[in-house]
């Protein structure tokens, strides 16, 4: 990490930037009052913790060291199942290989891949090959009913995008 003071502004640069910085942070040029408020808040928090120690069975002090019991899992909020169902109903039903190809097409992510030699990876079907490598082998992706029908595993759709036939992976193996 190094010394955090090493990245501070030099004295002359700080003096010119100080009014703008202090105004943006809502601080006074003299820090004593602000530090006093923070010290009082910290002191109050310490007293609140100490006051609760005798009744807290998960905390003990042994040989001057604080010991905490492990926390168990938090209870699931009552609305969580309904929220998860609502979120799942809002998500489109897509297979991972199709999503991977769409993301590759929209973001151009395969252009970030380069050959060790530095040459341009201009091989035919490069995007498809990269997506095939990123697709987990044997991933349990169920085939879902489709609105479109395709002739082969890698048939172009009417819009020119590559899509997959249900039940086929990018590698042409059933999943």
């Amino acid at each position: 990490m190094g010394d955090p003071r090493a990245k501070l502004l030099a004295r002359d640069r700080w003096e010119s930037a100080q009014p703008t910085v202090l105004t943006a942070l809502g601080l006074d040029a003299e820090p004593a009052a602000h530090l006093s408020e923070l010290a009082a808040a910290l002191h109050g928090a310490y007293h609140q913790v100490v006051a609760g120690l005798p009744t807290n069975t998960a905390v003990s002090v042994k040989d001057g060291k604080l010991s905490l019991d492990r926390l168990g899992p938090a209870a699931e909020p009552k609305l969580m199942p309904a929220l998860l169902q609502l979120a799942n109903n809002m998500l489109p039903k897509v297979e991972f290989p199709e999503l991977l190809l769409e993301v590759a097409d929209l973001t151009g992510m395969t252009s970030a891949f380069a050959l060790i030699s530095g040459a341009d990876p201009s091989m035919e079907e490069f995007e498809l090959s990269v997506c095939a490598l990123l697709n987990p082998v044997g991933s349990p992706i169920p085939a879902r009913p489709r609105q479109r029908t395709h002739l082969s595993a890698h048939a172009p759709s009417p819009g020119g995008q590559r899509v997959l036939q249900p039940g086929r992976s990018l590698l042409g193996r059933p999943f």
Side-chain angles (χ1 to χ4, degrees):
M1 286 281 182
D3 185 0
R5 295 172 294 182
K7 296 194 178 196
L8 292 175
L9 293 176
R11 185 169 215 51
D12 57 332
R13 290 186 67 204
W14 167 244
E15 287 175 5
S16 66
Q18 183 181 14
T20 305
V21 171
L22 293 177
T23 300
L25 296 174
L27 297 173
D28 292 328
E30 179 54 47
H34 182 65
L35 292 175
S36 177
E37 289 174 23
L38 293 174
L42 182 60
H43 184 74
Y46 280 145
H47 280 278
Q48 184 180 3
V49 168
V50 169
L53 285 177
T55 59
N56 191 340
T57 59
V59 179
S60 61
V61 179
K62 296 178 186 173
D63 300 325
K65 293 184 179 183
L66 188 65
S67 175
L68 303 173
D69 289 345
R70 291 187 184 265
L71 294 176
E76 186 175 87
K78 291 179 184 178
L79 292 176
M80 185 57 78
L83 179 63
L84 288 173
Q85 184 64 43
L86 177 66
N88 283 333
N89 289 342
M90 295 170 83
L91 294 173
K93 307 297 184 220
V94 297
E95 294 179 15
F96 182 73
E98 288 184 19
L99 177 64
L100 196 54
L101 283 168
E102 187 170 341
V103 168
D105 186 50
L106 291 172
T107 64
M109 72 179 195
T110 56
S111 65
F113 290 85
L115 299 174
I116 294 174
S117 66
D120 182 35
S122 59
M123 66 181 260
E124 190 176 319
E125 304 286 343
F126 181 72
E127 185 175 274
L128 187 63
S129 298
V130 170
C131 291
L133 291 171
L134 294 174
N135 184 41
V137 176
S139 59
I141 305 170
R144 292 194 170 93
R146 315 260 328 141
Q147 292 179 342
R148 302 178 299 233
T149 306
H150 304 287
L151 301 174
S152 70
H154 305 111
S157 70
Q161 295 175 319
R162 296 225 172 258
V163 292
L164 299 178
Q165 185 180 27
R168 299 287 303 267
S169 75
L170 286 170
L171 301 173
R173 298 182 199 137
F175 51 79

